[in-house]
Amino acid sequence: MPFEHPYIRIGDLAPEKMDEAQGWAVSEFRVVLSEKENCSSTMFHAVFQAGDRLKKHRHDSCDEQYYVVSGHGLAGAGADRVEVHAGHYHYIPKGVEHWLVNLSRNEPLIILGLYDRAPNMGATGYVFCGDVTEDDLRAPRTLRNDNLQYPLVHQDAVPMVKVSRDEGWTQDYFCEPLNRDHGVGSCWMYGYFGPGTVHMKHRHDNCEEICYVLKGHGLAGVGADRGELAPGDVHFIPAGCEHWLANISDSEDLVAPGWYIGVGALDESGFAYNGPVTDEDINASRTGQL
């Protein structure tokens, strides 16, 4: 039986054919979610091999957020020049010229991102602005966060908080690396689950949610769907749809970052607790294979 709601394995998606003449000197660029999956925004996954660069451009119709999954890069955003590493979250408001290059000679730079409330690539308002020059690459880095024009946040610098077990938050920790305090219109959230922990049945009436599995092995329920998730997998939850997530490993942690689309923080999401995840839920037949 097929999934009613999107469960996606990024590695199974075909890369897009991007126009290098318009600045897309990137080895692999995949559209993960868009209006085709009834998502209000476009989620993307990009792989920069050695020498790759996404040249100067801007998006006049949407904000952009991206997360560095692995690798080492140099990012320009307005006057900012920052080195990015695994665990960094970067926010670029609409209309701001920006670019990104892989600084490593032998390791890929891999990023995961969102064009916020742009339902397809054509709706982002992409404008090519020119090459990244040697002067750009040699320019002094913006070393202090308080000197940055645009937020760059590392996950290790964000305090993890305990959340209410009375409302089904039985996973170990939760945080918001990018939220309304940074000026964003869609909140980056980050959930950490120890072995065997579960985020119980709930819904968000005011926002869509995207969940990405960075580490570990999970079982996700979305409506009537039941699907197992591994690193690199994504599931999409429409506004108002009941969902839950369980770490089904006895020994490994489950780490699951993602977005609340269209709200600045969890307290704006319309969170409602719907009840516990039962043994019957965990043991039910899976809806399909990713």
Side-chain angles (χ1 to χ4, degrees), residues 154-172:
H154 196 276
Q155 63 193 29
D156 290 347
V158 182
M160 288 284 190
V161 297
K162 283 283 190 181
V163 278
S164 173
R165 287 180 174 266
D166 293 337
E167 294 186 332
W169 292 83
T170 52
Q171 77 267 40
D172 286 349

Side-chain angles (χ1 to χ4, degrees), residues 122-144:
T124 68
Y126 180 91
V127 178
F128 177 49
C129 300
D131 288 340
V132 178
T133 68
E134 290 304 310
D135 287 343
D136 292 317
L137 298 178
R138 289 195 296 264
R141 309 300 197 245
T142 313
L143 297 177
R144 292 175 55 86

Side-chain angles (χ1 to χ4, degrees), residues 202-281:
H202 64 286
R203 66 183 192 273
H204 300 281
D205 289 337
N206 299 339
C207 70
E208 303 161 302
E209 180 179 342
I210 297 173
C211 183
Y212 169 77
V213 176
L214 179 65
K215 177 183 177 183
H217 185 197
L219 175 64
V222 183
D225 292 339
R226 302 289 182 268
E228 293 191 27
L229 300 172
D233 292 344
V234 170
H235 70 118
F236 171 68
I237 304 106
C241 184
E242 180 178 282
H243 57 287
W244 51 270
L245 181 61
N247 183 350
I248 53 178
S249 172
D250 294 329
S251 58
E252 292 186 321
D253 298 328
L254 172 65
V255 179
W259 289 276
Y260 297 136
I261 298 177
V263 298
L266 172 64
D267 61 8
E268 301 173 6
S269 72
F271 176 88
Y273 174 47
N274 288 3
V277 174
T278 67
D279 289 342
E280 287 77 11
D281 292 315

Side-chain angles (χ1 to χ4, degrees), residues 23 27 51 72 83 102 117 132 143 149 151-153 158 178 188 216:
S27 293
H72 177 205
E83 294 196 23
N102 183 359
R117 260 71 57 80
V132 178
L143 297 177
Q149 282 187 283
L152 177 72
V153 179
V158 182
L178 290 175
W188 256 106

